[in-house]
Amino acid sequence: MSRVFNFSAGPAALPEPVLRQCAAEMLDWHGSGMSVMEMSHRGPQFIAIAQEAEALLRELLAVPANYKVLFMQGGAIGENAIVPMNLLRGKTRIDFVDTGAWSQKSLQEAGKYGEAHVAASSAATGYDRVPPRADWQLDPDAAYVHICANETIGGVEYFFDPDVGAVPLVADMSSNLLSRPVDVSKYGLIYGGAQKNIGPSGLTIVIVRDDLIGQALPCTPSAFDYKTVADAESMYNTPPTWAIYVAGLVFRWIKDRGGLQAMEAHNRAKAAVLYDYLDATDFYRSPVQRDCRSLMNVPFHLKDKALDAAFLKGAEARGLVQLKGHRVVGGMRASIYNAMPIEGVHALVDWMQAFEREHR
Amino acid sequence: MSRVFNFSAGPAALPEPVLRQCAAEMLDWHGSGMSVMEMSHRGPQFIAIAQEAEALLRELLAVPANYKVLFMQGGAIGENAIVPMNLLRGKTRIDFVDTGAWSQKSLQEAGKYGEAHVAASSAATGYDRVPPRADWQLDPDAAYVHICANETIGGVEYFFDPDVGAVPLVADMSSNLLSRPVDVSKYGLIYGGAQKNIGPSGLTIVIVRDDLIGQALPCTPSAFDYKTVADAESMYNTPPTWAIYVAGLVFRWIKDRGGLQAMEAHNRAKAAVLYDYLDATDFYRSPVQRDCRSLMNVPFHLKDKALDAAFLKGAEARGLVQLKGHRVVGGMRASIYNAMPIEGVHALVDWMQAFEREHR
């Protein structure tokens, strides 16, 4: 068996110790004689697994007591509809900050339920930055303000918690949740698909302030009404039990390595290796303004895109896989989530340097 | 390691060879250097996995070419809303056949979107049967007729495909899909959560006739609009990749054992062992009419419910687990899906006999 360095944007690399534990416990979890996949979600074993996962997530993020943690399904794309269904609360307008493909997707979906308004956009500069807070045109009567905290495709990340006054701030954190500490109290709602820093796809994490729950639109499916889900402790419908189990193992792995402060240090060190090299050469180029460069998803372009295929082929031969950029933006993208070791980033930069020498 | 006989109603026992393969491939799927959980859903490896799973499912069920197979999320409870959102098609009335807890749940949820009408019910006889087709009061202008093909809690199963004329027939087959052959062409739509005969929870299977797709209500989330999902081959949002992989292994296991004819023979043999014993004693009792008794979920009651706790405790000590009946109906429930070997049913009947001798 030979493991690769997997730069996939998601589903993405998981910590190897977590995978080893999944394999070891597959047929018999803790002497139960069952796989976690075979357990009733209402049985004592799985309830313990789910409660521990939630407790660890709350501890890692220091989630305040007046927030619910919900384990849901449908991914961030499902949540793009579920959030407005739950959070319009009799209002009509939602303010969006448009920083690229994912905030666009959220905005378009929300338009089915309310009046989705672009409060700020960096479209004019090719989505290379977060629009400065001073330029946002916010309506104080909006139901909420929506941001995408990290644009997985464009590689643009927020490094501040925007102050939007009394209006709840909603953040799609699919691709940077758990990569570093976040002050949850600054947000009304945080959501994300699990398949980046958390676990397998098919699990959605929602962290929502109590007072925003309970006013869903009448057309909201019960399984996606935060009140129904919260009242049933995420067991109104059968939850994705395996994904919750794996997420719990990942939370434990993060905690054992020092929590989110340690993750941030690790992620900043990895990103620096890559960005420092990108800034030191003109053979490759980062399309993102320096103060908004994502620590998680590093898109870059070769000077000559005719070399893209050769670059990818050589990378693959070195066990550096899933580096192709999203079709919307082209080029390359190195996703370097928590589970990517710094050795993987060094191996990538080594290959980038070798390729540059060969093709300069 | 000691495996138990797991009678959980779902998530439920999986075939042991499938679990062994999951463990063996956990860190390196087919020389890819990755776990299936780590693969991009858009990469060639996972696309091959998903396509094979769909092809096997189509083969097992002989799904006609004019039906789409969709891999979705949210479970049957989510689908209880998603079906009317997609299938009302400008009509208002939906006819429900009420056979117990799950058809009730479907009916209540559908009432958010249309006029949910009870066309027939066995409530008056304690949900002990399927109401005879001749008694159904159907509206020829209904959007569709909904049945629950197997009531997981009540243990009532349909052994006929109801003829409802030109109106599409919709069946929740969560707990009997893949237990025996089904003539898909008799149905407009079949849906089910995976966590019985298919795979882990978090995956929903939808099999829907082409002509019913494309008229979803405007409030339908894109991720749950059958048209969006079908057009994107179940990859509009990131699918539950691990669950699809496991389902594919289960489909292969079913095929290798002889397909659905073989499953039916196996399931009828297992159910006969249990029902024959229930009919031969008055110490235990089946609450269901003989011609509607589920092959999958066998609820039964002890003559004296004061003995329930002792029965369950003794069963557990023998490695016969998750036998407690649903809280709504009490008593016991033995769920004997495809993955339950006949040895498990014999072991259960042995224990029932021993307990009876001791407490008669």
Side-chain angles (χ1 to χ4, degrees):
Chain A
M1 191 205 72
S2 161
R3 296 266 298 162
V4 294
F5 289 121
N6 176 3
F7 295 92
S8 172
L14 288 166
E16 200 173 303
V18 166
L19 296 174
R20 293 195 184 282
Q21 189 168 347
C22 288
E25 296 179 344
M26 181 60 73
L27 280 96
D28 182 11
W29 182 84
H30 294 204
S32 65
M34 289 184 271
S35 172
V36 172
M37 287 190 281
E38 302 179 296
M39 289 174 184
S40 167
H41 57 298
R42 309 232 179 253
Q45 294 103 339
F46 184 74
I47 287 176
I49 289 171
Q51 286 177 343
E52 189 188 2
E54 181 181 336
L56 284 165
L57 182 60
R58 282 185 170 276
E59 182 184 344
L60 288 172
L61 284 165
V63 177
N66 63 323
Y67 284 70
K68 296 282 189 224
V69 169
L70 309 179
F71 294 133
M72 298 183 65
Q73 298 179 53
I77 291 183
E79 214 59 43
N80 282 343
I82 298 167
V83 170
M85 282 176 146
N86 279 276
L87 255 54
L88 274 168
R89 298 159 18 260
K91 297 180 181 276
T92 52
R93 171 164 164 156
I94 312 168
D95 278 333
F96 281 82
V97 180
D98 169 31
T99 48
W102 286 103
S103 34
Q104 277 285 331
K105 242 192 210 303
S106 298
L107 185 158
Q108 282 158 19
E109 186 75 4
K112 289 185 180 176
Y113 308 98
E115 189 191 306
H117 183 88
V118 179
S121 174
S122 55
T125 54
Y127 292 126
D128 66 343
R129 69 192 70 185
V130 173
R133 171 65 190 87
D135 298 346
W136 299 10
Q137 302 291 324
L138 299 178
D139 179 344
D141 199 42
Y144 59 92
V145 178
H146 179 285
I147 65 169
C148 176
N150 184 65
E151 289 277 358
T152 319
I153 293 174
V156 171
E157 184 168 3
Y158 282 72
F159 291 101
F160 65 103
D161 302 306
D163 182 350
V164 295
V167 175
L169 178 63
V170 170
D172 173 359
M173 291 198 186
S174 290
S175 50
N176 68 349
L177 192 62
L178 299 193
S179 67
R180 53 190 171 91
V182 56
D183 184 347
V184 173
S185 73
K186 299 281 176 63
Y187 297 84
L189 185 147
I190 291 169
Y191 70 93
Q195 63 270 16
K196 320 288 187 178
N197 278 316
I198 292 170
S201 59
L203 170 64
T204 319
I205 304 287
V206 175
I207 303 171
V208 54
R209 212 173 60 211
D210 273 349
D211 63 288
L212 301 176
I213 299 176
Q215 296 180 62
L217 298 179
C219 67
T220 309
S222 304
F224 305 121
D225 181 328
Y226 295 145
K227 177 150 177 52
T228 325
V229 179
D231 286 353
E233 296 182 330
S234 301
M235 298 223 191
Y236 178 73
N237 56 352
T238 310
T241 53
W242 172 262
I244 291 171
Y245 157 71
V246 178
L249 298 182
V250 171
F251 300 156
R252 170 72 62 192
W253 176 84
I254 293 173
K255 183 180 171 182
D256 288 348
R257 285 174 61 116
L260 298 189
Q261 276 85 3
M263 286 298 124
E264 176 167 12
H266 168 65
N267 288 325
R268 285 195 181 275
K270 288 186 296 181
V273 170
L274 199 41
Y275 286 120
D276 286 353
Y277 176 61
L278 288 171
D279 286 341
T281 171
D282 61 0
F283 190 83
Y284 305 97
R285 179 177 65 77
S286 158
V288 181
Q289 296 285 306
R290 292 192 188 202
D291 61 347
C292 306
R293 284 176 176 174
S294 170
L295 300 179
M296 296 288 99
N297 310 97
V298 183
F300 61 92
H301 297 274
L302 276 66
K303 201 171 173 176
D304 176 3
K305 71 179 175 187
L307 294 172
D308 282 4
F311 179 86
L312 285 167
K313 196 176 164 194
E316 192 120 352
R318 280 161 184 77
L320 308 169
V321 309
Q322 312 210 61
L323 279 163
K324 193 174 178 180
H326 192 277
R327 62 187 185 281
V328 167
V329 292
M332 306 296 147
R333 175 174 49 174
S335 295
I336 51 176
Y337 299 116
N338 289 345
M340 171 62 66
I342 197 158
E343 292 76 13
V345 181
H346 283 303
L348 172 60
V349 170
D350 288 349
W351 165 237
M352 290 169 73
Q353 289 174 324
F355 190 80
E356 176 178 350
R357 279 192 299 272
E358 200 180 325
H359 294 277
R360 199 196 310 265
Chain B
M1 194 204 70
S2 161
R3 295 266 299 163
V4 294
F5 289 121
N6 176 4
F7 294 93
S8 172
L14 287 166
E16 199 172 303
V18 166
L19 296 175
R20 291 194 187 282
Q21 189 169 346
C22 288
E25 297 180 343
M26 181 60 74
L27 280 94
D28 182 12
W29 183 84
H30 295 204
S32 65
M34 288 183 271
S35 171
V36 172
M37 288 191 280
E38 302 179 296
M39 289 174 184
S40 168
H41 57 299
R42 309 235 178 249
Q45 294 105 338
F46 184 74
I47 287 177
I49 288 171
Q51 286 177 343
E52 190 188 2
E54 181 181 337
L56 284 165
L57 182 60
R58 283 187 170 276
E59 183 184 343
L60 288 172
L61 284 165
V63 177
N66 62 325
Y67 284 70
K68 297 280 190 230
V69 169
L70 309 179
F71 294 133
M72 298 183 64
Q73 299 180 52
I77 291 182
E79 215 58 43
N80 282 343
I82 296 168
V83 170
M85 282 176 145
N86 279 276
L87 255 56
L88 273 167
R89 297 159 18 259
K91 298 180 179 276
T92 51
R93 171 164 162 155
I94 312 167
D95 277 334
F96 281 81
V97 180
D98 170 31
T99 48
W102 286 102
S103 35
Q104 277 285 331
K105 242 190 211 304
S106 297
L107 185 158
Q108 281 159 17
E109 187 75 5
K112 289 185 181 178
Y113 308 98
E115 190 189 306
H117 183 88
V118 178
S121 174
S122 55
T125 55
Y127 292 126
D128 65 343
R129 70 193 69 186
V130 173
R133 170 66 189 86
D135 297 347
W136 299 10
Q137 302 292 322
L138 298 179
D139 179 345
D141 198 42
Y144 59 93
V145 178
H146 179 283
I147 65 168
C148 176
N150 184 66
E151 290 276 358
T152 320
I153 294 174
V156 171
E157 185 167 3
Y158 281 73
F159 291 100
F160 64 104
D161 302 307
D163 182 350
V164 295
V167 176
L169 179 62
V170 170
D172 174 359
M173 292 198 185
S174 291
S175 51
N176 67 349
L177 191 63
L178 299 192
S179 67
R180 53 190 171 91
V182 56
D183 184 348
V184 173
S185 73
K186 300 280 176 64
Y187 297 83
L189 185 147
I190 291 169
Y191 69 94
Q195 63 271 17
K196 321 288 187 180
N197 279 315
I198 292 171
S201 59
L203 171 64
T204 319
I205 304 286
V206 175
I207 303 171
V208 54
R209 212 173 61 211
D210 274 349
D211 63 288
L212 300 177
I213 298 176
Q215 297 179 62
L217 298 179
C219 67
T220 310
S222 304
F224 305 119
D225 181 329
Y226 294 146
K227 178 149 176 54
T228 325
V229 179
D231 287 352
E233 296 183 330
S234 301
M235 299 222 189
Y236 177 73
N237 55 353
T238 309
T241 53
W242 172 262
I244 291 171
Y245 157 72
V246 178
L249 298 181
V250 171
F251 300 156
R252 169 73 60 191
W253 175 84
I254 292 173
K255 183 180 171 182
D256 288 348
R257 285 175 61 117
L260 298 188
Q261 277 83 4
M263 286 299 124
E264 176 166 13
H266 168 67
N267 288 325
R268 285 195 181 276
K270 288 185 297 181
V273 170
L274 199 41
Y275 287 120
D276 286 353
Y277 176 61
L278 288 171
D279 286 343
T281 171
D282 60 0
F283 190 83
Y284 304 96
R285 178 178 66 78
S286 158
V288 181
Q289 296 285 306
R290 290 192 189 202
D291 61 347
C292 307
R293 284 176 177 174
S294 171
L295 300 179
M296 296 287 100
N297 310 97
V298 183
F300 61 91
H301 296 274
L302 276 66
K303 201 172 173 174
D304 176 2
K305 71 179 174 189
L307 293 172
D308 282 3
F311 179 86
L312 285 167
K313 196 176 164 194
E316 191 118 355
R318 280 160 184 76
L320 308 167
V321 308
Q322 312 211 59
L323 278 163
K324 192 173 179 179
H326 192 277
R327 61 186 187 282
V328 167
V329 294
M332 306 295 147
R333 174 173 51 173
S335 295
I336 50 176
Y337 299 116
N338 289 345
M340 172 61 67
I342 198 158
E343 292 76 14
V345 181
H346 283 303
L348 172 60
V349 170
D350 287 351
W351 165 237
M352 290 169 73
Q353 289 175 323
F355 190 82
E356 176 177 352
R357 279 193 300 272
E358 201 180 325
H359 294 278
R360 198 196 309 266

